[in-house]
Amino acid sequence: MTGVFSLLPEGRPGLLVPAPGAAPGGSEDLARYLSVGGYAPLPAPDRLLDRIAEAGLRGRGGAGFPAAVKLRAVRDAPGGAVVVANGEEGEPGSVKDRWLLRHRPHVVLDGLRLAAAMTGAGRGCVYLSDTPAERAVRQALAERPPELPVDVVRTEHAYVAGEETAVVRRIDGGPALPTAKPPRPFESGVGGAPTLVANVETLARIALLHARPDAAGAVAGSHLVTLSGGGGRSGTGGAATLVEVPAGTHLKVLADLCRHGRSEAVLLGGLFGGLHGAGWTDLQLDHDRLRAAGGALGCGALHFLHPEDCPVSVATEATAYLAAQSARQCGVCVSGTGALARTLTAVAHGEADDDAADKLRRWSGQLPGRGACGLLDAAARIAATLLAHFPDRVDAHRRAACPACAGATPEDGRRFAVPVP
C-alpha cells in the first residue's frame, strides 16, 4: 500500500487530516486552513512557549532536540532574531517535508509566524529546493501576506544542504555547506543575528498545537513517517508511504501497512539510524527507545529490507552515497567516509582483507563526532550496526562474492530515493 495515511485515533488532530472540502492531493488554500483554526491570534507568546515545553515537542529534522529549548535560546539571545522554516530534505528516503510544503503550506507558514512571535523575530525565511513546494509556498504567501517579511530562499538539493549552519550560509549568499561550530545559529546566524532554524514539520506541529491546545500532548507525540523498501536491485527505493502515527507505534505495524511485513531488517532514520536485524519487529517509533536499541529515529524515514535485499549491499550503497555527498571541507570526513565506503565495497565483492571487519569496527567507534555535521556519524553508524546485527553475513562475504551485491557501489542514493506521494 502506498500513498498518504493517518493511523491516529479518530478525533485526534493531525497534519495529514484534510480540512473539510479539501481536494485530495491538492494544496490546501487559505479558506480551508482558516476553517480548521489556522492563523488564530496569539495573545501570549510566552504561554504558547510554555505549552510547547510542557507537551515535550521535539524537533523533527533529525536530532530530536527539544523545540522549546531552541526557541528560548533564540528569544534570549541579544539582537533582532530571524526564523527559518527548513524544508530542504537531505535524506533521500524522506518525503514528509516536501509533502507538507506542497500540500499544506499554510500550516508551515502559520508555525513560522508563531515562532517569530515567541522569539521576537523581525524576519522569516522559507528554505527549500523543491520546485512544486516553492510554487505552493509563494501562492500561500500571496493569499495571506505575512505579518513579518518572509523570503523564499532556493538551494540546490544535497545531503548536507539542510544542516542548520549550511542553511544560514546559503541564506547569507554563500554555498549550502556546513560551517564549524561554535557559534551555532542561535548565537550568530543569518546576517549575524540569532537564528532559529526549524524543520517544517516542527513548525507545523507548533501551529497545530496552538490551534488545538486541548490536544497539545497528542500533537507533540505524533510523527510523520516515510516508509519505503523492496527496491532491491531495481535501482530505486520503490514507492513511498507517508503515514502519521502516534509515538510508540511498533515498526511491525508500519511494515504491514505498506506490505513490507516479510522484511528481515530495517534501515532506520533515513541513513542516520543504522541497520537493525533480528528483533526489529519489536522496535517502537520513539526517540529514546530506538536510541536504547542502538538506532535513531532521525527524520522518521524507514527503509525495509526484504529477503532478497542483502544488508551488506545496502550498507555499501549507503556509505558510498554519503562519501559522495561529503562537503569535502573536513579532512576526517573525506578520509573517514572514503575508507568506510571502500572497505565495505571490498566486503560486498568478496575481495576484503582478513582484517576488514576489525578496521570497520575501529573506524565506526573513532569517527563519530569529528565532522562539522552528522554525515560522518551516519556513515559510521551504518558500518557499526551492520557489524552488530549481521556479523555472519559480513564474514560470509569475505569468503565469496554475493550475487545480491554484484555492482553494489552506486553513489547517487537511488536505492533509497522515493517520490513524494
Side-chain angles (χ1 to χ4, degrees):
M1 183 181 297
T2 60
V4 180
F5 302 94
S6 173
L7 295 186
L8 300 182
E10 186 174 354
R12 181 164 170 171
L15 296 175
L16 301 185
V17 178
S27 181
E28 181 180 51
D29 63 19
L30 178 61
R32 293 191 181 99
Y33 184 59
L34 292 174
S35 74
V36 293
Y39 294 118
L42 181 62
D46 285 346
R47 179 66 193 107
L48 176 58
L49 185 48
D50 290 341
R51 190 178 300 132
I52 290 169
E54 292 163 4
L57 178 65
R58 295 191 185 193
R60 297 299 197 266
F65 195 75
V69 174
K70 287 185 72 171
L71 286 160
R72 286 182 172 136
V74 174
R75 180 198 63 182
D76 295 342
V82 178
V83 288
V84 179
N86 184 5
E88 169 49 20
E89 270 178 314
E91 291 285 0
S94 180
V95 300
K96 68 183 183 67
D97 297 336
R98 283 170 291 163
W99 189 93
L100 281 172
L101 290 171
R102 289 182 184 189
H103 299 288
R104 299 210 64 195
H106 281 292
V107 73
V108 176
L109 294 173
D110 195 0
L112 189 67
R113 168 189 75 101
L114 296 169
M118 287 184 283
T119 58
R123 178 189 174 191
C125 296
V126 180
Y127 177 82
L128 44 70
S129 65
D130 182 59
T131 297
E134 180 181 7
R135 188 182 306 119
V137 168
R138 291 191 183 278
Q139 176 60 33
L141 288 169
E143 282 188 299
R144 186 185 187 277
E147 298 159 13
L148 73 163
V150 173
D151 299 317
V152 179
V153 179
R154 183 74 180 259
T155 188
E156 293 298 318
H157 176 71
Y159 188 84
V160 299
E163 193 274 339
E164 63 176 4
T165 62
V167 173
V168 168
R169 194 172 179 184
R170 175 68 188 90
I171 293 173
D172 277 342
L177 299 174
T179 59
K181 298 175 280 289
R184 292 187 175 275
F186 79 86
E187 299 167 306
S188 178
V190 175
T195 300
L196 175 77
V197 180
N199 173 262
V200 296
E201 184 190 348
T202 309
L203 293 172
R205 294 210 174 275
I206 288 173
L208 186 57
L209 190 150
H210 177 52
R212 289 292 305 273
D214 58 311
V219 171
S222 300
H223 294 266
L224 296 182
V225 184
T226 309
L227 311 174
S228 65
R233 299 304 305 157
S234 66
T236 69
T241 300
L242 178 62
V243 58
E244 188 166 17
V245 298
T249 300
H250 279 82
L251 268 57
K252 182 64 164 63
V253 172
L254 301 178
D256 288 341
L257 172 71
C258 53
R259 300 194 179 99
H260 295 306
R262 67 189 186 98
S263 299
E264 296 183 345
V266 62
L267 180 61
L268 300 170
L271 302 183
F272 185 74
L275 288 158
H276 205 100
W280 73 265
T281 55
D282 296 326
L283 295 177
Q284 292 174 268
L285 197 78
D286 177 85
H287 281 285
D288 296 332
R289 290 169 178 167
L290 289 178
R291 187 178 298 113
L297 178 57
C299 64
L302 306 179
H303 184 83
F304 295 100
L305 280 64
H306 288 209
E308 60 271 21
D309 296 318
C310 178
V312 174
S313 173
V314 172
T316 299
E317 295 191 29
T319 53
Y321 171 74
L322 291 169
Q325 287 289 306
S326 170
R328 312 197 73 78
Q329 297 183 136
C330 306
V332 68
C333 180
V334 174
S335 60
T337 57
L340 289 168
R342 287 191 299 272
T343 304
L344 281 169
T345 297
V347 172
H349 293 170
E351 301 169 352
D353 297 334
D354 290 342
D355 62 347
D358 291 335
K359 289 191 293 187
L360 289 169
R361 190 172 290 107
R362 183 173 68 254
W363 294 333
S364 64
Q366 294 173 343
L367 292 174
R370 297 183 61 189
C373 67
L375 185 147
L376 182 59
D377 294 18
R381 192 194 295 267
I382 287 169
T385 52
L386 175 69
L387 294 170
H389 289 276
F390 303 98
D392 294 343
R393 300 290 288 271
V394 174
D395 187 59
H397 281 69
R398 287 198 310 111
R399 297 190 296 272
C402 166
C405 288
T409 56
E411 302 173 346
D412 56 10
R414 64 178 181 267
R415 174 192 285 269
F416 312 104
V418 290
V420 181

